Amino acid sequence: MDVQKMTEEELQAQCVAWRRWFHEHPEVSTKEAQTSQKVFDILTELGLTPVRGKGHYGVAATLQGAQPGPMVALRADMDALSVTEATGLPYASQNPGVMHACGHDMHITTLLETILRLLRRKDELAGSVRVLFQPSEEMSPTGGARYMMQDGFLDGVQGVFGLHMWPTFLCGQVGVKAGALMAGSDRIKVIIKGKTSHAGHPQEGVDAIMAAADFLQQVSHIVSRRISPLATATINFGTIQGGSRYNVVPGEVTLEGTIRTLDEDNRKKIPEFIKGILEGLKLSAGIDYDFQYFYGYPVLDNWPVPAQLAAETVRQVLGDEALVPGISPDLTAEDFGFYLQKVPGAFLWLGCGIKDQPVHGLHNAKFCPDEQALVVGSRLMSQLAINALQQLKAGKDFSART
């Protein structure tokens, strides 16, 4: 593929074709074999030397600029969701029960289109760009970002950037801010152990359902009374299972849920608060318990200097009106936060909504992003990579906190 000879129309048409192939062939976390091979083949065709992950389907490659200098990384995630597609698109998923309902097909293709644009502008690259095609972003609480980091794909990188399709913003709009952008996401499992008895003799048993009700009520007070009102946290239990028969005092109840926070300090306190409640119920209600807390994705905390650079690049490439003002953090989670714990960088929300069309959110069976977001995102990210390398080479400190 001769990128230099491609017209803008040919470039865009090729990328739309790629995106539709990825959309038709979605694969869930840890199963991204076809997707990974397709990416590997495209990168090879473009003259890069891709490297496969060790024991996973991640792929990385490095694009060398015409000038020596630092290295920045751009990341896209590749996995799909266990969702049955309901878009009615002619290029809908051919894999029953699996769909790119979170836009990762768009993320893959945006990064591929970004590479095409960077290959045409190699003379402007004062360093190199490492491209990361990551598996298993949806596999909370583990996440595929850890795999890429363990393989050393962030070694030598001085700045890392990524984006996510954002259907509540119109195509052409971008959101970015310094500080917490997306939530830390943890999972919890509690088994409350009581003692069965005949319902006519409740005094002979220990009612696990009543204890679970007390537990849920007390947990709800953590956010309202143990965490600062100025902080943000939510504790949600999505499943509760217990009891065996209508006239038996239940001996065991299992609860599972998720905890979302925007502050790492509060994130560390909440498990201790929950354990304290369980210890109190052990004394007051006579129950025993198993308590499992699974730390998942950290708070996605954008570094100030890279976030400011990203905002400036949005204005440079798309105009002042493209930058959505005053955005608030979202309590969805992203394992890009792991990268930001190691390397300064920033994550952006890329608008993909279509004007006057219904908004179908992320993870919705009718999620259908505007394909023009590929052009917007690739123009933005290619310029961001160029700007970041120039600033790093000039001595800009991406790790500065003010």
Side-chain angles (χ1 to χ4, degrees):
M1 184 183 300
D2 191 340
V3 178
Q4 304 300 333
K5 291 183 178 179
M6 295 176 74
T7 65
E8 178 67 18
E9 291 74 19
E10 290 171 335
L11 184 149
Q12 291 184 28
Q14 175 62 82
C15 292
V16 167
W18 284 337
R19 184 261 162 163
R20 294 184 179 187
W21 187 94
F22 290 123
H23 191 81
E24 285 183 303
H25 301 88
E27 296 169 299
V28 296
S29 302
T30 76
K31 307 293 183 183
E32 307 97 333
Q34 271 190 298
T35 305
S36 176
Q37 186 62 52
K38 180 76 169 178
V39 168
F40 190 95
D41 291 343
I42 293 171
L43 294 177
T44 302
E45 187 179 1
L46 293 176
L48 301 182
T49 306
V51 178
R52 300 182 192 275
K54 299 174 183 177
H56 60 88
Y57 289 113
V59 178
T62 303
L63 194 160
Q64 299 288 342
Q67 310 165 47
M71 180 189 297
V72 297
L74 305 178
R75 172 271 207 171
D77 40 11
M78 300 190 295
D79 53 331
L81 290 161
S82 298
V83 171
T84 298
E85 183 163 352
T87 62
L89 293 168
Y91 52 89
S93 170
Q94 296 179 9
N95 187 356
V98 182
M99 176 193 174
H100 271 297
C102 201
H104 295 188
D105 54 333
M106 295 285 288
H107 300 169
I108 300 166
T109 313
T110 298
L111 184 50
L112 289 172
E113 187 167 335
T114 298
I115 293 169
L116 295 181
R117 296 187 185 281
L118 289 173
L119 287 171
R120 300 168 92 171
R121 302 177 67 184
K122 286 180 71 172
D123 289 347
E124 300 176 58
L125 283 177
S128 58
V129 179
R130 174 138 325 140
V131 290
L132 308 174
F133 292 88
Q134 178 204 304
S136 304
E137 188 278 327
E138 299 286 355
M139 193 177 65
S140 178
T142 304
R146 288 171 168 171
Y147 301 156
M148 304 295 279
M149 293 166 66
Q150 289 167 4
D151 284 354
F153 291 147
L154 276 188
D155 293 354
V157 171
Q158 293 177 251
V160 61
F161 299 91
L163 57 75
H164 203 295
M165 294 295 135
W166 213 247
T168 55
F169 295 166
L170 292 176
C171 182
Q173 295 182 312
V174 181
V176 63
K177 65 179 286 293
L181 183 70
M182 301 179 77
S185 171
D186 303 323
R187 293 176 68 176
I188 181 175
K189 182 176 181 179
V190 175
I191 302 175
I192 294 178
K193 300 178 179 182
K195 179 183 176 183
T196 59
S197 71
H198 194 291
H201 303 151
Q203 74 279 5
E204 297 175 3
V206 177
D207 192 329
I209 283 182
M210 291 300 291
D214 289 342
F215 170 74
L216 289 171
Q217 190 171 48
Q218 292 183 55
V219 164
S220 70
H221 297 158
I222 291 175
V223 172
S224 64
R225 290 295 179 265
R226 304 299 298 274
I227 300 296
S228 168
L230 302 178
T232 300
T234 181
I235 304 173
N236 287 287
F237 284 90
T239 70
I240 178 169
Q241 299 173 348
S244 59
R245 184 177 164 82
Y246 79 99
N247 63 347
V248 176
V249 170
E252 187 169 291
V253 172
T254 299
L255 307 96
E256 294 184 88
T258 183
I259 295 169
R260 305 296 173 104
T261 52
L262 291 173
D263 178 272
E264 287 292 330
D265 289 337
N266 284 329
R267 187 182 181 211
K268 294 171 184 175
K269 292 175 184 176
I270 287 175
E272 293 303 314
F273 292 152
I274 293 173
K275 187 175 181 180
I277 291 170
L278 290 167
E279 283 292 314
L281 285 171
K282 188 174 182 177
L283 291 173
S284 63
I287 58 101
D288 202 354
Y289 66 88
D290 286 337
F291 174 39
Q292 299 176 62
Y293 196 92
F294 308 95
Y295 280 102
Y297 300 170
V299 177
L300 193 156
D301 197 358
N302 279 339
W303 292 67
V305 174
Q308 180 61 34
L309 174 63
E312 292 169 355
T313 305
V314 172
R315 296 189 183 98
Q316 174 189 353
V317 175
L318 304 173
D320 291 344
E321 68 284 355
L323 191 65
V324 180
I327 64 171
S328 298
D330 196 88
L331 290 182
T332 53
E334 237 286 352
D335 74 350
F336 191 86
F338 286 121
Y339 296 125
L340 295 179
Q341 288 186 324
K342 183 173 182 179
V343 177
F347 197 70
L348 302 83
W349 292 337
L350 184 70
C352 63
I354 303 172
K355 188 175 182 180
D356 299 326
Q357 294 293 317
V359 175
H360 299 296
L362 301 174
H363 295 208
N364 187 294
K366 292 185 178 182
F367 176 65
C368 186
D370 189 338
E371 288 183 325
Q372 281 298 305
L374 299 172
V375 181
V376 176
S378 62
R379 289 179 58 216
L380 172 61
M381 297 305 282
S382 56
Q383 188 63 55
L384 180 55
I386 290 170
N387 290 350
L389 288 174
Q390 289 175 346
Q391 291 211 4
L392 285 166
K393 191 167 184 177
K396 189 74 171 181
D397 182 7
F398 273 21
S399 65
R401 283 297 186 181
T402 56

